[in-house]
Amino acid sequence: MLDKDYNGLTAKKGALILFVCLMLAATVFVTNYLPYRTQTKFEERCTTKTTATVFGLEEQYRDGNMYYGPMMEFIYYEKGQLVHAEAASAIMHDQNYKEGETLHIGYDPNSPGDLYIEEDRTVQERWKTASVCTVLICACGVLMFTIGCVRSIRGTDKELSARKFIKTPDGKTFSEWAAEQQKKAAEQTSQTDENETEDR
């Protein structure tokens, strides 16, 4: 009976590592792509650009799938109105705005209360980082799987091709059988040396 619990990286273990890497990469990809897509679609509606002043620094809060804050003040030129509205983002920003600070914004001309701050690129930066991490994680998994396959095919793992068994037909364990083989090899080497000495 063979004992197939080999040590080292094999094709089977490489496949397992690849599977784990793919699952991790998918998690990183999805959790960052969804906010990026939400933010992109929101910004596509906000086609009118202008400048606005930070009017209030209330803590960001979530409503639906968007985070809101800070409060911005700008002139809605289409109707000559002064608008107070909170900037929206698909994730919580890490910007330190100051009250009275002037920023560039984009707002929806059909709904001026929907706006975003152009200087806030947190969503896009995280998406870029996540994309790079996803590629690296997948590449790592593929590399481990490839190495495992190569080691299995070439037998570079010193334990890979060792045929281990529980007992031989005459009842000897693998360790006993291996010790016996080593002893026989040593005796043969000794006999060969003696023969060479006699020939001289």
Side-chain angles (χ1 to χ4, degrees), residues 56-72 84-93 113-115:
L57 295 174
E58 293 81 4
E59 191 171 328
Q60 269 192 310
Y61 66 91
R62 183 171 182 172
D63 185 8
N65 59 354
M66 300 292 283
Y67 289 88
Y68 293 90
M71 181 71 73
M72 306 298 294
H84 288 170
E86 293 164 311
S89 175
I91 61 175
M92 293 189 71
H93 65 72
D114 294 336
L115 64 96

Side-chain angles (χ1 to χ4, degrees), residues 2 5 12 15 51 65 71 81 84 94 121 126 134 154 165 169 172 178:
L2 297 180
D5 185 19
K12 185 176 181 180
T51 57
N65 59 354
M71 181 71 73
Q81 298 175 342
H84 288 170
D94 53 3
R121 310 306 294 170
R126 289 190 184 180
T134 298
R154 294 186 177 180
F165 43 80
K172 294 178 182 177

Side-chain angles (χ1 to χ4, degrees), residues 39-191:
Q39 184 71 24
T40 300
K41 287 185 176 181
F42 181 79
E43 292 184 5
E44 287 175 353
R45 294 193 289 111
C46 301
T47 56
T48 304
K49 312 298 181 183
T50 187
T51 57
T53 303
V54 178
F55 184 72
L57 295 174
E58 293 81 4
E59 191 171 328
Q60 269 192 310
Y61 66 91
R62 183 171 182 172
D63 185 8
N65 59 354
M66 300 292 283
Y67 289 88
Y68 293 90
M71 181 71 73
M72 306 298 294
E73 179 183 74
F74 67 98
I75 298 175
Y76 179 34
Y77 289 103
E78 286 83 346
K79 292 188 177 181
Q81 298 175 342
L82 184 64
V83 178
H84 288 170
E86 293 164 311
S89 175
I91 61 175
M92 293 189 71
H93 65 72
D94 53 3
Q95 308 294 323
N96 294 317
Y97 299 115
K98 297 179 181 179
E99 193 164 349
E101 182 179 0
T102 300
L103 300 169
H104 295 88
I105 66 167
Y107 67 89
D108 185 347
N110 299 315
S111 178
D114 294 336
L115 64 96
Y116 72 95
I117 299 173
E118 291 188 320
E119 284 87 350
D120 182 10
R121 310 306 294 170
T122 307
V123 176
Q124 290 79 2
E125 289 173 1
R126 289 190 184 180
W127 167 240
K128 289 180 182 178
T129 302
S131 298
V132 173
C133 290
T134 298
V135 172
L136 292 178
I137 293 171
C138 289
C140 180
V142 171
L143 178 62
M144 292 297 101
F145 178 64
T146 303
I147 292 175
C149 289
V150 171
R151 286 171 65 87
S152 295
I153 294 171
R154 294 186 177 180
T156 52
D157 187 339
K158 63 181 181 180
E159 297 291 337
L160 189 61
S161 58
R163 295 178 60 83
K164 294 185 180 180
F165 43 80
I166 298 175
K167 288 186 178 181
T168 61
D170 58 357
K172 294 178 182 177
T173 64
F174 176 81
S175 298
E176 292 172 342
W177 175 84
E180 184 179 282
Q181 298 304 311
Q182 290 178 352
K183 183 178 179 181
K184 287 182 179 179
E187 290 176 352
Q188 289 177 354
T189 302
S190 177
Q191 184 65 38

Side-chain angles (χ1 to χ4, degrees), residues 4-64:
K4 297 183 180 180
D5 185 19
Y6 304 126
N7 295 324
L9 181 61
T10 62
K12 185 176 181 180
K13 293 178 181 178
L16 179 60
I17 293 174
L18 175 60
F19 175 76
V20 172
C21 287
L22 290 177
M23 292 299 100
L24 180 59
T27 301
V28 173
F29 180 86
V30 172
T31 54
N32 287 276
Y33 174 71
L34 293 179
Y36 172 76
R37 185 180 66 177
T38 299
Q39 184 71 24
T40 300
K41 287 185 176 181
F42 181 79
E43 292 184 5
E44 287 175 353
R45 294 193 289 111
C46 301
T47 56
T48 304
K49 312 298 181 183
T50 187
T51 57
T53 303
V54 178
F55 184 72
L57 295 174
E58 293 81 4
E59 191 171 328
Q60 269 192 310
Y61 66 91
R62 183 171 182 172
D63 185 8

